[in-house]
Amino acid sequence: MLLYTGLLFFLTEFCQSASAEDLLSKHRFPDDFLFGVATSAYQIEGGQKGNGYGKNIWDYYMETYPGKFYSPGTAKIACDSFHKFREDVKLIKNLGVQFYRFSVSWGRVLPEGYSHNINKDGLRYYNDLINELLANGIRPMVTMYHGDLPLALHELGGWTNPYMAYYFEDYARVLYSYFGDRVKYWITFNGACIGYGDDGFVPFLNQSGIANYLCNQVLTLAHAKAYHLYDKEFRILQKGKIGIVFSGNWYEPGSFAVDDIEAAERAMQFKVGIYANPIFHPDGDFPKLVRERVHDVSRKEGYLRSRLPEFSREEVEYVQGTYDFLGFNCYTSFLVENVAEDTSEKTSFHKDLRVKTYQDKSWERGKSSWLGIYPEGTRKLLKWVKENYDDPEIIITENGFSDNGELNDVKRIKYYQKYLSAILDSIHEDKVNVKGFAAWSLLDNFEWMEGYSEKFGLYHVDFSDPDRKRTPKKSVQWYKKVVKERRIVELDEISSRLKGDL
Ligand code: BGC
């Protein structure tokens, strides 16, 4: 008994005295592991006046319903990367990273969304950016679609319209044709049907349990079309890789109760599986659990068919396996509690899913309301993906921390230390095939509905300065050393001074 008490005392003391840094992974990043930074077109480019720029849903909704946004209209200049991209490339080069993940604004290249009118200024901008990156030894990783849908296509129903798959294929053809000789990493979608089943995000369609499922299907088919097009006509010459990016939030049972364990798995299948299963699961299609559940609830509600659209047998086969890698944006996790069936509730995604999600009060937090810090969740998600799908090659396409834009951003560094540590353990202990990591974001930028009130950048941007001055934060110094030494760097290994190290 005495021995037991002594041991307990020792363990408690040890755990309390071990600083968070002592718990960081001592593994190293493999030689072929790629480091990068990420942005998206609408969040940084600006450059909307002249230049043949075609309006998208964000321009339209901010103009028409300014009251819904934190800072409507302000993406017109954003970080002004449309004009300052050469400076941005210098900032990326300073970090020493191997790749830069950015997105193409569909409407800048095809102002009306369709393929008949190609904007030369748009082509020139992306050609210059790609060339500048390559001249500096940085590989471009290009997202074709990151939320900024051309307005005309939205007026046709946006991602609920099955014909969008064809328009996306045409857009992809233009991108491969003009940029594919130099771009070797393509991402079809930063896949999210957000704003279709809710009114918290553009395009505020808010047809929960219907529009979000249509979007899931159309987006998946559009991705597959772009993939097959590359395979058939471009891959042999261009020799690139194509992937798709999903939100990598992890859903964990809030208790050991069987109901909560099942509810967490339901959440994973409804939130991640609904995107990933058709492409990455060996059997393809939407997850069985999701198909059965939505079919069942739809029938009880009196619908004559399931609200979840069906893939035909040919479509299941056409979509399955259309990937070279899987991208995840990993920021946070949620705990899940089962919710009892309530047949009186009106149709919604939440009714189909039937869970309550929350975050643990003990988790540290970023500025964004949803950003609870739980790096173990990312490790668990990666393991779940390895086990549920065919052990795909994975790239963490986004990971980052929001604050008020402090230059001395120690909390961001600590966030990255913990998440990169979890990723290292996932590579070395769980043998998950993670091949790359991009920090979100290169710059403080336009954080969608939240405007400029939440900052994710490694570099600070002064949005009150017409020149949008960039200043390195402390995390630049830290990330640079991580990339160079391919290991988690401790805080006391970098200078305590904040210096402009460019
Ligand atoms: C999105 C980014 C966004 C970030 C932080 C990601 O999932 O792709 O556009 O800025 O989350 O909210």
Side-chain angles (χ1 to χ4, degrees):
M1 183 62 190
L2 195 63
L3 189 67
Y4 174 75
T5 320
L7 187 65
L8 200 66
F9 176 76
F10 169 77
L11 280 176
T12 320
E13 283 296 292
F14 174 79
C15 291
Q16 279 170 0
S17 67
S19 74
E21 288 200 338
D22 293 334
L23 304 173
L24 297 176
S25 175
K26 299 287 179 255
H27 288 298
R28 298 179 76 84
F29 292 96
D31 290 343
D32 61 350
F33 188 87
L34 301 175
F35 284 101
V37 273
T39 61
S40 89
Y42 200 72
Q43 295 178 272
I44 64 161
E45 281 179 5
Q48 298 183 3
K49 271 224 185 90
N51 318 302
Y53 174 87
K55 276 195 182 168
N56 65 48
I57 46 175
W58 282 86
D59 302 317
Y60 170 77
Y61 281 99
M62 279 198 279
E63 267 166 43
T64 320
Y65 304 99
K68 283 185 175 282
F69 299 83
Y70 191 92
S71 36
T74 52
K76 286 190 168 48
I77 301 178
C79 306
D80 202 19
S81 291
F82 183 72
H83 296 106
K84 292 174 73 77
F85 71 92
R86 288 188 207 278
E87 187 181 331
D88 290 348
V89 173
K90 279 203 189 105
L91 305 182
I92 303 166
K93 179 151 195 197
N94 174 53
L95 287 165
V97 293
Q98 288 87 40
F99 72 94
Y100 176 43
R101 175 182 174 227
F102 64 93
S103 78
V104 172
S105 155
W106 187 336
R108 195 183 289 292
V109 173
L110 304 176
E112 290 151 84
Y114 308 105
S115 53
H116 65 305
N117 172 16
I118 304 183
N119 174 25
K120 289 207 178 57
D121 278 341
L123 290 184
R124 184 185 39 76
Y125 171 65
Y126 293 111
N127 267 324
D128 287 352
L129 171 59
I130 291 166
N131 291 342
E132 188 75 5
L133 287 167
L134 291 172
N136 283 282
I138 304 155
R139 298 180 218 183
M141 178 183 284
V142 180
T143 312
M144 302 182 194
Y145 180 75
H146 197 127
D148 43 2
L149 186 64
L151 193 55
L153 298 177
H154 174 63
E155 285 165 347
L156 292 185
W159 295 109
T160 65
N161 176 353
Y163 230 80
M164 277 297 294
Y166 296 93
Y167 297 132
F168 185 74
E169 183 186 22
D170 295 345
Y171 168 52
R173 178 185 292 282
V174 171
L175 298 184
Y176 300 148
S177 306
Y178 285 96
F179 310 130
D181 54 339
R182 286 151 297 150
V183 172
K184 302 303 159 199
Y185 282 93
W186 291 105
I187 290 166
T188 51
F189 288 97
N190 195 71
C193 291
I194 181 166
Y196 280 81
D198 59 274
D199 73 345
F201 210 77
V202 165
F204 309 114
L205 226 66
N206 202 19
Q207 287 212 32
S208 187
I210 297 185
N212 52 300
Y213 294 139
L214 296 181
C215 170
N216 279 132
Q217 191 186 41
V218 175
L219 207 105
T220 306
L221 289 170
H223 159 84
K225 274 197 175 299
Y227 183 92
H228 284 298
L229 171 67
Y230 194 74
D231 253 9
K232 256 199 254 137
E233 297 186 34
F234 295 90
R235 191 187 286 277
I236 189 157
L237 277 177
Q238 301 188 344
K239 301 186 173 60
K241 287 188 174 193
I242 304 199
I244 182 165
V245 167
F246 306 129
S247 161
N249 291 340
W250 167 249
Y251 293 86
E252 173 150 321
S255 82
F256 292 114
V258 174
D259 279 358
D260 289 345
I261 294 171
E262 283 174 6
E265 180 60 15
R266 213 158 53 240
M268 284 304 292
Q269 295 295 355
F270 268 85
K271 302 264 191 176
V272 179
I274 202 162
Y275 289 101
N277 212 86
I279 301 168
F280 293 91
H281 193 282
D283 297 339
D285 209 340
F286 289 129
K288 187 161 178 277
L289 182 156
V290 175
R291 278 186 280 132
E292 288 178 356
R293 172 85 191 143
V294 182
H295 181 273
D296 190 38
V297 181
S298 305
R299 198 173 44 76
K300 288 189 184 134
E301 288 171 332
Y303 291 87
L304 295 179
R305 65 179 73 232
S306 175
R307 289 177 277 99
L308 183 73
E310 270 180 35
F311 285 112
S312 67
R313 189 67 351 244
E314 292 76 43
E315 285 171 336
V316 168
E317 278 164 25
Y318 181 75
V319 167
Q320 199 284 325
T322 53
Y323 67 90
D324 299 310
F325 66 92
L326 167 48
F328 270 120
N329 296 342
C330 296
Y331 290 91
T332 194
S333 297
F334 293 91
L335 298 175
V336 183
E337 189 186 306
N338 181 51
V339 167
E341 193 82 65
D342 177 0
T343 45
S344 68
E345 219 183 291
K346 69 179 187 21
T347 296
S348 78
F349 175 75
H350 296 104
K351 180 180 177 188
D352 294 338
L353 172 53
R354 203 165 52 80
V355 304
K356 185 179 136 202
T357 60
Y358 60 101
Q359 293 183 319
D360 197 295
K361 287 201 177 63
S362 71
W363 296 351
E364 287 174 71
R365 314 195 62 81
K367 173 130 198 244
S368 312
S369 60
W370 46 267
L371 188 45
I373 304 179
Y374 185 59
E376 297 89 325
T378 291
R379 180 167 171 192
K380 290 176 189 173
L381 168 99
L382 293 170
K383 194 153 184 261
W384 184 90
V385 169
K386 180 185 168 82
E387 283 163 6
N388 275 268
Y389 307 130
D390 226 354
D391 195 12
E393 176 175 328
I394 297 175
I395 296 180
I396 309 293
T397 38
E398 288 180 32
N399 174 243
F401 177 83
S402 57
D403 58 15
N404 289 311
E406 296 85 339
L407 291 181
N408 191 10
D409 57 343
V410 172
K411 283 191 181 164
R412 173 168 295 106
I413 296 177
K414 289 189 172 162
Y415 175 97
Y416 277 130
Q417 282 180 322
K418 290 179 199 148
Y419 274 82
L420 280 167
S421 204
I423 291 164
L424 269 179
D425 286 341
S426 142
I427 297 172
H428 291 279
E429 313 290 332
D430 306 338
K431 311 288 175 214
V432 181
N433 194 11
V434 187
K435 289 289 191 198
F437 174 91
W440 181 273
S441 175
L442 171 66
L443 303 169
D444 288 343
N445 60 42
F446 178 75
E447 177 54 16
W448 304 116
M449 300 302 293
E450 317 306 328
Y452 301 93
S453 64
E454 298 171 6
K455 310 280 173 55
F456 281 88
L458 298 177
Y459 289 90
H460 175 272
V461 177
D462 183 353
F463 292 100
S464 62
D465 176 353
D467 193 39
R468 298 296 191 268
K469 185 171 186 297
R470 280 91 157 118
T471 310
K473 299 180 189 175
K474 193 169 188 156
S475 51
V476 164
Q477 224 191 103
W478 179 82
Y479 192 43
K480 203 170 158 167
K481 197 166 167 69
V482 171
V483 171
K484 185 157 177 236
E485 301 185 8
R486 310 187 79 75
R487 64 180 179 86
I488 311 284
V489 169
E490 312 242 342
L491 255 177
D492 60 9
E493 292 182 78
I494 56 169
S495 149
S496 57
R497 275 180 308 127
L498 253 178
K499 47 174 187 172
D501 60 347
L502 280 173

